Structure formats: structure tokens, C-alpha cells
């Protein structure tokens, strides 16, 4: 089914990023992922009576870093509020969040879709605590509660309803994902729930100014599902309206197995959170000094880095985009260029080619690459100075990947050094020409394809170690 | 003005059990508070800065260091039911 062109989709995203602090937002309990249930749930995480929250400085700092990166206003005073609802994984009966006065105000993020840049507004970003986890399986009719996650600091980033397609929504989400990892404020691990997305989706007839009624799709935990969930929801709403129905404001859950969304809460009263300022917490003050300090320490942002890579390293747009897609990858590239002293183009080619492919196959990130920048630089340097050919380079790469030796050690040990000695190459070529007179005649008779045959034979005889340029030159002369 | 039905809904949201015979008395009390609010909002507050907290101070921050140890066994001594380190509660279905 195709989406009817008379309709326009309007999407806003709420993204919860888990801030990568060592401890929780309001207590000194650890936030390490994967601990035994409830071993990181202190009395504050458990919501015991009489305990008081004390705000984590690093959570505030990371929120400010984000605000600066999207050029948002940072509130000098922001206020924590209680969002009240009852659920067993929220033992206090309220979540501490920010409501009227969030720490980060209006900012923006530029996304690129089909070669066009579009500015997406960020309405706000606020600090809040995460809830615990409910496990519904295997407890003989009971629900198991793990409060390790309760109190983990989150920065909820709310966008303006500026996106007009699922594709734009995914581009925005990817951009934000890249940014928070760049800034080092969130590890971006979607499987572990460090980066979660809720989408507000509505449709309206094209040209209509006022928004349609929106549905909120909850907890979509992959880029692929965001696109599918939104497209599905858009189709559902259009079909509903075209059949004379009406979209109701509700929360829907995306089922990735059935590829559909379904209503989650029927009682709308459940959405009355009765926010009020939390009397346990004073207003959060962000001083001009702190802002200046954070601004000075802000890392180079993806856009600026990409531009610099294009000018300083003379990279094309594609390479610059790939190499700046994560800070780790960009740092790796810069180290390889520096250590190898080679031209940036050859470094970029080998990183975006051989290395990226191998990392993909092994499902690894650059940070966990078995070949560090130093060893990789050693390989690139030997290719650049013609010690080995590109083809042999791929073999050396395999050894680097599987072992711990340097490229030079591998080349020496495996005897992979390229033969540039013209005398040695000539001798081999003579033998091959003598053994293949018929083919030589064919070539001389005009069958130019035969040249490739000879290059192949020579390379084979030299076990790939012959310098290709040298072989070509000598072969041409001998076959003339 | 809050109706009797709204008072019942608010009580339900806060999970407060109130007796039917007391509902109208609660409605009167709450409406009294709301009327006071309405009266206050008629005052001219131009140029008066909003008060974020009665204490004229800002939030103190703590360093991001782990200070809490695992005390699960101790905390779970008062839990009615636990299993595999989890607190068990009546089944919740979303």
C-alpha cells in the first residue's frame, strides 16, 4: 500500500538518552549495566521514606554540554518537578523530572535528507531519573522488579514537530545519536536502552495549517523500527480518516514482529501526571563560569570536523562523512595519518575500505578494533613506499587482524616484500614468454587481452610480490 | 469548581480511598483552596520575580563518585516476597 500524497505527515520525536555518569542522578549508587538485580539499588533508588535526593554534578554538566552543542539557551535556573504515576518499578510513586523550567531550552539540529539540509528545532532537553525494570516472565503469576536502573540519569530531548517523513525522523535520530556519542555524554547503546525513542505522529491534509490529532508511539529501540513504526502508523491514521474515523490521542506500542502499532493505554486519565515542583530539590543554578568552562572544553563537533577533514586532508565528501561519523573513527584516522606520515588519501582508503569491512564482518567498533592505529599506520606506510603492493597489503592486513605483530615483522617473516629488482623481474618474464610463445604471438597479432594473461602469470610466478608498475613496463618492452 | 465526580477521579489517581459520604466535604475544602488561588491570581504581580523555592538557595551538587555499596540482602529482609534478587509484586499487565 502506498501513502496517499494528499496527506502530510507531521512527526516530533522525544529521545531519552542515558547520560554516561558513573553514578545515579540523585544518589551515589553505581549505574554499571548488567549487574545482578537490585545490587545497585540503594535506599534512594528504592524510594525509602525519609531519604533525600542529592544531584549529581556530572549529570548537570553533561546536560549543559548537550545544550551548547545544539546552540540552545541554557537556563540559569532550572527546576525539578514530580511526575506522579503508579507503577511497581517506580517505588516513590513519582518520577523526578523537569517540567516548566528545563535546563536546556530551544536549540536545533541540521539533518541531511536526499542531499538537502533541513533544520529541525529542538524544543527543550530536560534532566530526569529513569524507572526500574519489570520482568513479567517466570515468576508464577507475579512480576519481578529490578531497581538497578531506577535513578539512572536521563536527558530527554524533545524535538519540534518539524519532520515530515519517517526518513527525516530517522535522519534526525541518527544525527542526535552521533552527536551524543561525539560529546561523550551517552554511550548510545540501543540494545542496553541507553538511547530510546518515542515518536509523536499525526497526519493532516496537505496545505492545512493546523495539526491533526497525534498518537505517541513508545519505546522504539532501533533506527529500522523507527522508520517502520512511523510508516505503519501513518498508514493506519490515513486509512482510519479516509474511512470516516477519527484519530484519538493515545499511546501506542510498536510490535516489530507483527509490524503494527497497538493501543497501550485505554484510560486517558492515566496521563494526568499532576506535576508540581519537587520540594526536596532546590533550583539548579548554572553559573556563567561553569558555562564558559564547558564551552572551552567542548570537543570539535561533527560538522566542523567534517569541514576540517575536507580542507586539511583534502578528502572528498564521502570519505569525510564516513571518517567523521564517530569521534573514535576520526581520531583513528588522524593518528594513522600522523604516525604513518603518508598521504591522507591512502590512509582514508584503507580505513574506509579494508578495515571498515573487516570491522563490519566481525561486528566490532573502531574502539575495539584488533588493529590499533599504530599497527595500521605501519601497513599503510609499507604500501605507500612500495615495499608491498596493495594486493599483498590485504594479506598483511589479515595477519595484522589475527595476530599481534607489526606490519614490518609480518612482511619480513612471510617474505612478502615486493620485488622491484628489474633483473629478477626480467628473468621471470623471459621464462614465462618462452613457455607461452603461442600467447605472445596472439598478443603481437593484436589480441590485447593477452597482456592481462601475462601480468597474471608473472604475478603468480612471483607469488604476488612483483611491483605491478615495473612488471607492466618490462612486459610491454619485451612484447613489443 | 470541582465536581463530586472530579474529586473521585483525583482520589483514584492518587490511589486514595475516600468514603462516599466524605466526598462532598472534600469537594468543599478543595474548592475553598482553589478559590483562594483564584483570589491571589487577581493580584498585580508585574515586576515580581517568581519564587522557585521558599529557601533562597540553589541546589548543592555532589561529585560523580560511587558511595553506595550493595546492601540488597539487608534491604530485602523487609520485602514481603523476593526471588533471584528481584522484588516480587502482584502481576502487572500493561
Amino acid at each position: 500500500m502506498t501513502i496517499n500524497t494528499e496527506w502530510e505527515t507531521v512527526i516530533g520525536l522525544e529521545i531519552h538518552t542515558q547520560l554516561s555518569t558513573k553514578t545515579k542522578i540523585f544518589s551515589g549508587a553505581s549505574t554499571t549495566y548488567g549487574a545482578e538485580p537490585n545490587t545497585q539499588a540503594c535506599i534512594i533508588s528504592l524510594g525509602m521514606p525519609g531519604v533525600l535526593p542529592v544531584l549529581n554534578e556530572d549529570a548537570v554538566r553533561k546536560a549543559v554540554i548537550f545544550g551548547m552543542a545544539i546552540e540552545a539557551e541554557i537556563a540559569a535556573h532550572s527546576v525539578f518537578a514530580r511526575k506522579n504515576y503508579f507503577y511497581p518499578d517506580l517505588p516513590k510513586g513519582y518520577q523526578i523530572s523537569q517540567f516548566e523550567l528545563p535546563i536546556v531550552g530551544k536549540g536545533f539540529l541540521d539533518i541531511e535528507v536526499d542531499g538537502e539540509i533541513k533544520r529541525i528545532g529542538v524544543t527543550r532537553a530536560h534532566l530526569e531519573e529513569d524507572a526500574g525494570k519489570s520482568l513479567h516472565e517466570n515468576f508464577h503469576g507475579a512480576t519481578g522488579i529490578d531497581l538497578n536502573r531506577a535513578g539512572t540519569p536521563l536527558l530527554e530531548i524533545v524535538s519540534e514537530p518539524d519532520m515530515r517523513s519517517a526518513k527525516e525522523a530517522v535522519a534526525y535520530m541518527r544525527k542526535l545519536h552521533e552527536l551524543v556519542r561525539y560529546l561523550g555524554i551517552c554511550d548510545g547503546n540501543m540494545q542496553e536502552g541507553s538511547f530510546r525513542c518515542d515518536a509523536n505522529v499525526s497526519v493532516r491534509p496537505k496545505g492545512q495549517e493546523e495539526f491533526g490529532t497525534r498518537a505517541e508511539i513508545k519505546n522504539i529501540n532501533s533506527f529500522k523500527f523507527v522508520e517502520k513504526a512511523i510508516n505503519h502508523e501513518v498508514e493506519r491514521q490515513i486509512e482510519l480518516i479516509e474511512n470516516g474515523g477519527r484519530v484519538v490521542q493515545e499511546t501506542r506500542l510498536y510490535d516489530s514482529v507483527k509490524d503494527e502499532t497497538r493501543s497501550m493505554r485505554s484510560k486517558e486519565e492515566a496521563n494526568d501526571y499532576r506535576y508540581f515542583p519537587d520540594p526536596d530539590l532546590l533550583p539548579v543554578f548554572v553559573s556563567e563560569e561553569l558555562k564558559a568552562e564547558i564551552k572551552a572544553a567542548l570537543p570539535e563537533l561533527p560538522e566542523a570536523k567534517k569541514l576540517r577533514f575536507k580542507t586539511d586532508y583534502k578528502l572528498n565528501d564521502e570519505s569525510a562523512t564516513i571518517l567523521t561519523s564517530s569521534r573514535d573513527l576520526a581520531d583513528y584516522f588522524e593518528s594513522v595519518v600522523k604516525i604513518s606520515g603518508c598521504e591522507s588519501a591512502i590512509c582514508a582508503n584503507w580505513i574506509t575500505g579494508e578495515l571498515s569491512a573487516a570491522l563490519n564482518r566481525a561486528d566490532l567498533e573502531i574502539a575495539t578494533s584488533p588493529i590499533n592505529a599504530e599497527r595500521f599506520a605501519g601497513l599503510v606506510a609499507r604500501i605507500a613506499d612500495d615495499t608491498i603492493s596493495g594486493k599483498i597489503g590485504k594479506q598483511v592486513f589479515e595477519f595484522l587482524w589475527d595476530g599481534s605483530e607489526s606490519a614490518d615483522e609480518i612482511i619480513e617473516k612471510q617474505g612478502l616484500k615486493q620485488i622491484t629488482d628489474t633483473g629478477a623481474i626480467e628473468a621471470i618474464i623471459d621464462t614465462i614468454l618462452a613457455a607461452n610463445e603461442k600467447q605472445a604471438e596472439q598478443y603481437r597479432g593484436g589480441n590485447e587481452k593477452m597482456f592481462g594473461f601475462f601480468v597474471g602469470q608473472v604475478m603468480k610466478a612471483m607469488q604476488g610480490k612483483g611491483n605491478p608498475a615495473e612488471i607492466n613496463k618490462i612486459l610491454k618492452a619485451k612484447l613489443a | 469548581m470541582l465536581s463530586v465526580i472530579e474529586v473521585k477521579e483525583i482520589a483514584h489517581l492518587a490511589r486514595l480511598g475516600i468514603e462516599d459520604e466524605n466526598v462532598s466535604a472534600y469537594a468543599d475544602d478543595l474548592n475553598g483552596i482553589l478559590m483562594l488561588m483564584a483570589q491571589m491570581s487577581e493580584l498585580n504581580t508585574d515586576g515580581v520575580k517568581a519564587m522557585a523555592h521558599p529557601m533562597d538557595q540553589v541546589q548543592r551538587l555532589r561529585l560523580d563518585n560511587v558511595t553506595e555499596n550493595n546492601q540488597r540482602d539487608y534491604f530485602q529482609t523487609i520485602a514481603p516476597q523476593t526471588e533471584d534478587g528481584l522484588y516480587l509484586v502482584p502481576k502487572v499487565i500493561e
Side-chain angles (χ1 to χ4, degrees):
Chain A
M1 187 179 152
T2 53
I3 293 167
N4 196 318
T5 45
E6 288 168 36
W7 295 94
E8 183 176 53
T9 306
V10 176
I11 304 159
L13 297 183
E14 290 168 15
I15 291 176
H16 290 86
T17 55
Q18 184 183 316
L19 298 175
S20 50
T21 55
K22 293 199 285 288
T23 64
K24 296 189 178 178
I25 184 166
F26 297 120
S27 79
S30 170
T31 52
T32 309
Y33 182 82
E36 283 289 300
N38 292 308
T39 53
Q40 292 175 171
C42 67
I43 42 171
I44 291 171
S45 321
L46 295 178
M48 287 291 180
V51 299
L52 283 174
V54 188
L55 185 56
N56 185 339
E57 173 204 61
D58 200 42
V60 173
R61 189 176 279 269
K62 288 187 156 76
V64 174
I65 290 174
F66 175 76
M68 287 187 166
I70 60 160
E71 293 180 37
E73 310 141 26
I74 310 294
H77 285 90
S78 62
V79 171
F80 281 102
R82 293 184 179 181
K83 179 181 178 177
N84 300 278
Y85 66 93
F86 289 95
Y87 206 72
D89 57 25
L90 187 77
K92 293 196 299 302
Y94 60 87
Q95 176 195 27
I96 305 177
S97 181
Q98 296 187 307
F99 189 53
E100 283 171 323
L101 297 167
I103 187 160
V104 175
K106 273 185 191 302
F108 65 86
L109 215 58
D110 287 337
I111 60 165
E112 196 179 321
V113 174
D114 300 329
E116 275 187 48
I117 306 282
K118 183 171 176 178
R119 179 154 293 186
I120 307 296
V122 171
T123 316
R124 56 184 284 163
H126 62 257
L127 283 166
E128 62 183 27
E129 58 177 346
D130 206 346
K133 245 183 198 160
S134 301
L135 300 142
H136 303 290
E137 314 300 321
N138 305 328
F139 296 104
H140 0 276
T143 294
I145 305 291
D146 176 8
L147 295 167
N148 278 350
R149 201 180 64 184
T152 299
L154 301 177
L155 186 69
E156 178 175 339
I157 302 157
V158 183
S159 86
E160 293 284 317
D162 284 349
M163 288 153 274
R164 294 288 172 270
S165 67
K167 220 170 162 185
E168 285 184 10
V170 173
Y172 169 82
M173 194 173 160
R174 281 192 187 279
K175 194 69 188 277
L176 199 60
H177 187 249
E178 174 191 287
L179 180 64
V180 294
R181 286 162 71 220
Y182 243 88
L183 295 169
I185 61 170
C186 169
D187 66 20
N189 190 323
M190 292 165 96
Q191 279 84 42
E192 292 177 5
S194 302
F195 191 88
R196 314 194 285 264
C197 177
D198 300 340
N200 286 305
V201 179
S202 66
V203 295
R204 63 181 171 189
K206 228 173 194 145
Q208 179 184 302
E209 205 146 307
E210 152 201 0
F211 293 131
T213 307
R214 63 165 200 260
E216 185 181 10
I217 317 170
K218 277 266 178 214
N219 266 338
I220 331 170
N221 59 358
S222 84
F223 295 117
K224 196 174 87 193
F225 290 158
V226 166
E227 187 156 9
K228 289 181 91 171
I230 291 173
N231 281 333
H232 168 84
E233 180 58 20
V234 168
E235 280 181 25
R236 186 191 71 88
Q237 291 186 12
I238 292 171
E239 209 174 287
L240 190 68
I241 299 167
E242 287 183 343
N243 290 326
R246 185 173 72 82
V247 177
V248 287
Q249 188 166 339
E250 61 177 351
T251 306
R252 300 180 70 84
L253 204 66
Y254 178 65
D255 182 334
S256 59
V257 180
K258 291 184 186 150
D259 188 27
E260 61 176 31
T261 63
R262 60 168 185 271
S263 189
M264 200 168 130
R265 292 197 185 107
S266 47
K267 288 183 200 146
E268 274 315 291
E269 59 169 4
N271 276 333
D272 187 346
Y273 293 124
R274 295 154 294 137
Y275 281 97
F276 63 89
D278 190 329
D280 288 345
L281 288 151
L282 291 156
V284 180
F285 177 58
V286 178
S287 67
E288 286 304 316
E289 290 79 47
L290 180 66
K291 280 200 268 185
E293 184 203 315
I294 290 173
K295 189 155 203 159
L298 214 58
E300 184 182 34
L301 298 178
E303 290 299 311
K305 201 181 275 277
K306 185 175 154 186
L307 206 66
R308 181 169 64 83
F309 274 27
K310 282 163 89 168
T311 31
D312 288 9
Y313 296 113
K314 312 262 180 294
L315 295 180
N316 61 25
D317 193 70
E318 200 192 338
S319 298
T321 305
I322 298 171
L323 290 171
T324 56
S325 65
S326 85
R327 210 163 124 188
D328 287 338
L329 188 59
D331 289 348
Y332 191 94
F333 166 75
E334 293 203 279
S335 301
V336 171
V337 172
K338 206 174 151 198
I339 300 168
S340 69
C342 296
E343 273 187 39
S344 45
I346 186 168
C347 299
N349 282 342
W350 278 84
I351 293 172
T352 58
E354 211 62 20
L355 182 62
S356 294
L359 290 170
N360 269 337
R361 277 196 300 273
D363 200 19
L364 290 172
E365 296 277 330
I366 192 79
T368 46
S369 165
I371 310 177
N372 64 22
E374 200 185 334
R375 293 173 69 228
F376 197 77
L379 166 67
V380 176
R382 293 295 81 86
I383 299 163
D385 70 9
D386 271 340
T387 305
I388 54 172
S389 65
K391 205 172 159 196
I392 294 290
K394 289 183 183 180
Q395 279 184 46
V396 175
F397 177 85
E398 296 300 327
F399 283 109
L400 283 172
W401 183 271
D402 294 327
S404 57
E405 291 169 315
S406 72
D408 283 338
E409 285 164 347
I410 293 163
I411 293 165
E412 186 63 42
K413 210 164 140 185
Q414 306 292 330
L416 294 172
K417 204 167 168 192
Q418 182 159 262
I419 298 165
T420 39
D421 172 12
T422 46
I425 298 174
E426 260 181 70
I428 287 165
I429 288 178
D430 287 340
T431 325
I432 284 170
L433 287 181
N436 299 284
E437 274 175 26
K438 221 169 92 191
Q439 285 86 344
E441 277 317 307
Q442 284 175 8
Y443 175 78
R444 292 193 182 100
N447 185 353
E448 291 194 7
K449 275 188 199 153
M450 273 302 139
F451 192 74
F453 162 79
F454 283 110
V455 174
Q457 291 295 310
V458 176
M459 268 298 186
K460 204 173 146 195
M462 300 184 78
Q463 291 158 318
K465 290 179 285 185
N467 180 323
E470 217 45 60
I471 293 172
N472 280 346
K473 209 173 87 191
I474 299 170
L475 252 180
K476 276 232 162 83
K478 298 238 177 215
L479 280 168
Chain B
M1 292 289 271
L2 285 175
S3 67
V4 165
I5 293 170
E6 281 169 319
V7 170
K8 283 185 171 171
E9 281 172 359
I10 292 166
H12 174 69
L13 276 175
R15 301 295 188 272
L16 294 172
I18 55 173
E19 303 295 334
D20 273 350
E21 67 221 56
N22 297 330
V23 173
S24 61
Y26 280 121
D28 287 346
D29 288 350
L30 289 169
N31 280 323
I33 295 168
L34 291 176
M35 266 153 63
L36 181 66
M37 298 284 179
Q39 208 180 336
M40 287 196 291
S41 63
E42 276 166 22
L43 289 172
N44 183 352
T45 54
D46 291 351
V48 179
K49 230 177 104 188
M51 184 178 72
H53 197 277
M55 281 200 273
D56 194 17
Q57 289 172 2
V58 293
Q59 181 63 40
R60 283 183 56 179
L61 307 176
R62 43 166 266 274
L63 292 175
D64 184 29
N65 293 328
V66 176
T67 53
E68 298 289 339
N69 305 318
N70 172 22
Q71 296 186 70
R72 183 176 75 182
D73 293 345
Y74 175 54
F75 295 147
Q76 292 196 337
T77 54
I78 56 164
Q81 230 190 325
T82 60
E83 191 177 316
D84 298 340
L86 296 159
Y87 294 91
L88 293 193
V89 299
K91 183 121 187 157
V92 200
I93 296 161
E94 179 94 305

